[in-house]
Each structure stands twice: as structure tokens, then as C-alpha cells.
């Protein structure tokens, strides 16, 4: 669960419009907390085991390893399926913090992040998981990196150290929202208040990466995604950060939007980002310039997926809305479910789509409505 202990600076930032994803995470965490019988430190308590009803557990993120499907969610739940989601098995997890994102770089190597600053890793396709990092050691470990780095300009180093103290001095308070590895050694995890960490050895060691992003206001970093050779991070104030080809440095690109983005996906030069109120912005030049699309969505866009096989974007919202768009945005279809829920992720498979959310895992059974033509 999310330990709700914040500094005065954090309280001020939580009051802003960019905090919606944080509030969403808190609500999901409270749902898990309500089910608990008394308090047990989630970092010291293994995930509870469920005998049945696995497909109905609250799920936050999905991944396809190429050989299996993974689903992660509240109270440390990690589910695995080897038959395209028809049957799920719960995997043992050494903690019960809420898990928010999962990413695999190969059928064997994957990572999970979540509340309490947790980072887990698997080397066997998600069957077993080990803890690589959590918020208890974060302040000392991350601060030491900058204290020992004599190459940094002193004013910049002091700013990074001050922000780390602001974020981490209360202990394992803040989550990591999203994780992405570009290969089995190099990866990043992002979170609120500019939290940004990196690993160069498969997660055996994690270091701060505040110096690798032009983010002087320490804006929330909501999600990290890879499209082709480029990494992108969605943020507040209409900002999408784009990495150079080496992935060593991220610079801000203004989209013209004033709010927050929470998800991004794409193919080739084409990108689609989604935010509060169903906002969708598109780019046709690898994120260098952006324009708004006319969107029928009304709620926070919690995830966007691009299905390469079907040449289709799918955008889902916290209000249970689903919008499908063609690869060039020339066609769109708003899909309607008989029992919508707070959607958190979507995963396209041959012949079906699996939706994840607060009420568990659901295969696609919706019918398309409101077809339209022409880029919006």
C-alpha cells in the first residue's frame, strides 16, 4: 500500500492538476488496504496467495513475453498465463506492495515496479521474482552516487541532492510508475516529483538519473515507452521528454497541451499520447512536433497500445472507455462494453484483446460504435 507520508513540498504538488495519476494510484491502493486485516509492512510481507478467482483480482499492468502473459497488480500480485489468458497461475512474490508496471525485454528477462519504490526482476520468464531495489535504501544509495560524482557542476549536484532528500527523506513513500529496459542490461524507472533511476547491469545496481533529463522543475514522470530506437517519457504541463539515440539524455518537447500525459505508444515516426479528460495528441515526426486529435474520450487515458499485427492503436480510460484508431489515424471506432470498469491496461493478441482493471482481467467482447473517417 502507499504510505501516505509527504513533505510540505509534496502536499503542494499533489494539489495540482498533474496529480490525477497519483490520486488514481492512491485509490487503487486503498482498495487493497481495505481488504487487509490490520497493517503488515508490505516490504516485509510476501504477497497473499489466492486459491481461486485470480482473473478477478485488481490488475494494473500487462506484458507479453512472447512465451507467456504476465499481469501485475495490488498487494504484490503477479499472474502468469501460458495459454493466451484462458488460465492464470499466481507466482510467488517476496513482498506485498502494489505493483504498477511490468516490462519484458526478452522471453526470460523482465522487471516490475510499484509502490514503496519497489523494483523486482525475473530471469525465468516471470516464474520467480527477486527484489532489486526499494525505497528504504533509496535516499542513502542514490545520494551517495551524486556525492561521489566530482564531475558534476556543484550547483547541479546540490539541486539533485536536495530533490532526492525532498522525495525520499520520509522513507519508502513514493512509487515508481513505469519501467523500461532497452536490452538485458540498460533500463530506466520513472516516478513522481522527477524520480528517475537507471541501471547499466540488468538492475543489479540502480543509480539516480536526474542528470540525464532536462527537468529542472522535477515534473512528474508518468510513463516511459520505447518506439523504434527512441525512448519517450510522458509528463506534466504538456511535456513529452525524448531521448537521444544513445538513450543517455532526455530533452523536453512541448506538445502545446497544458495538462498531463499518462501514456504513449507508436510505430515508425508516428506517436500517440493520452492524458486527462480523454485528451489525445499525435506526432508524425518522432515526437518533434505534436497536434491535438479530436477525441470522443472523456476520462483519463490510462494506457495506449499499438498492435503492429493489426496496425491499430487502442486507447483506454479510467472511465471504462475504449477507442481504436488506425495506424495513420484515418479511421477510429469507439467501443462499448456491457460492463465497463476502471481500465488500467490493454494487450492485443491474435483474435482477442485482454483488458485489465480494478475488477480484474477481461477478454474483448465489445462491439464497435461511432465509426469515423479522416484524421481528426
Amino acid at each position: 500500500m502507499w504510505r501516505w507520508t509527504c513533505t510540505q513540498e509534496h502536499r503542494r504538488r499533489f494539489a495540482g492538476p498533474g496529480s490525477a495519476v497519483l490520486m488514481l494510484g492512491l485509490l487503487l491502493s486503498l482498495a487493497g488496504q481495505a481488504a487487509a486485516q490490520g497493517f503488515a509492512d508490505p516490504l516485509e510481507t510476501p504477497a497473499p496467495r489466492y486459491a481461486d478467482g485470480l482473473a478477478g483480482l485488481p490488475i494494473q499492468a500487462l506484458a507479453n513475453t512472447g512465451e507467456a502473459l504476465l499481469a501485475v497488480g495490488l498487494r504484490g500480485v503477479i499472474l502468469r498465463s501460458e495459454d493466451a489468458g484462458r488460465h492464470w497461475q499466481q507466482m510467488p512474490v517476496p513482498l506485498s506492495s502494489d505493483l504498477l508496471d511490468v516490462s519484458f525485454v526478452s522471453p526470460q528477462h523482465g522487471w516490475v515496479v510499484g509502490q514503496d519504490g519497489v523494483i523486482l526482476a525475473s530471469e525465468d520468464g516471470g516464474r520467480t521474482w527477486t527484489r532489486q531495489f526499494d525505497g528504504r535504501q533509496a535516499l542513502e544509495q542514490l545520494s551517495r552516487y551524486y556525492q561521489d560524482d566530482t564531475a558534476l557542476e556543484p550547483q547541479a549536484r546540490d539541486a539533485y541532492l536536495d530533490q532526492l532528500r525532498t522525495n525520499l527523506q520520509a522513507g519508502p513513500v513514493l512509487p515508481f510508475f513505469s519501467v523500461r529496459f532497452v536490452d538485458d542490461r540498460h533500463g530506466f524507472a520513472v516516478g513522481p516529483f522527477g524520480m528517475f533511476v537507471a541501471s547499466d547491469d540488468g538492475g543489479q545496481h540502480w543509480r539516480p538519473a536526474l542528470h540525464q533529463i532536462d527537468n529542472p522543475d522535477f515534473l512528474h514522470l508518468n510513463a516511459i515507452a520505447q518506439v523504434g530506437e527512441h525512448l519517450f517519457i510522458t509528463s506534466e504541463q504538456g511535456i513529452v521528454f525524448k531521448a537521444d539515440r544513445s538513450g543517455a539524455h532526455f530533452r523536453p518537447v512541448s506538445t502545446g497541451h497544458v495538462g498531463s500525459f499518462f501514456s504513449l505508444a507508436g510505430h515508425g515516426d508516428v506517436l500517440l499520447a493520452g492524458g486527462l479528460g480523454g485528451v489525445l495528441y499525435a506526432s508524425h515526426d518522432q515526437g518533434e512536433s505534436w497536434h491535438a486529435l479530436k477525441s470522443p474520450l472523456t476520462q483519463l487515458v490510462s494506457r495506449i497500445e499499438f498492435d503492429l499485427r493489426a496496425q491499430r492503436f487502442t486507447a483506454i480510460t479510467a472511465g471504462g472507455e475504449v477507442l481504436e484508431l488506425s495506424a495513420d489515424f484515418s479511421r477510429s471506432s469507439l467501443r462499448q462494453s456491457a460492463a465497463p470498469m476502471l481500465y488500467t491496461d490493454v494487450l492485443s493478441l491474435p483474435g482477442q484483446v485482454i483488458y485489465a482493471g480494478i475488477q480484474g482481467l477481461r477478454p474483448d467482447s465489445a462491439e464497435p460504435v461511432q465509426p469515423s473517417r479522416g484524421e481528426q
Side-chain angles (χ1 to χ4, degrees), residues 43-114:
L43 291 173
E44 296 294 338
T45 306
R49 302 290 289 180
Y50 297 92
D52 51 30
L54 296 181
L57 296 175
I59 296 298
Q60 284 277 56
L62 301 168
N64 185 351
T65 74
E67 296 180 355
L69 307 183
L70 273 292
V72 306
L74 301 191
R75 303 189 67 197
V77 164
I78 297 181
L79 307 180
R80 189 174 186 274
S81 172
E82 295 184 354
D83 59 4
R86 287 186 291 274
H87 302 90
W88 296 88
Q89 290 183 309
Q90 185 178 3
M91 301 295 105
V93 178
L95 47 77
S96 53
S97 300
D98 294 338
L99 304 177
L100 304 180
D101 194 28
V102 54
S103 176
F104 272 75
V105 74
S106 71
Q108 298 303 312
H109 292 91
W111 289 263
V112 166
V113 296

Side-chain angles (χ1 to χ4, degrees), residues 239-264:
I239 297 296
V240 173
F241 292 95
K242 179 181 179 180
D244 57 27
R245 288 189 178 275
S246 68
H249 192 80
F250 290 74
R251 60 179 173 85
V253 178
S254 176
T255 63
H257 182 47
V258 297
S260 296
F261 291 113
F262 300 106
S263 187
L264 181 148

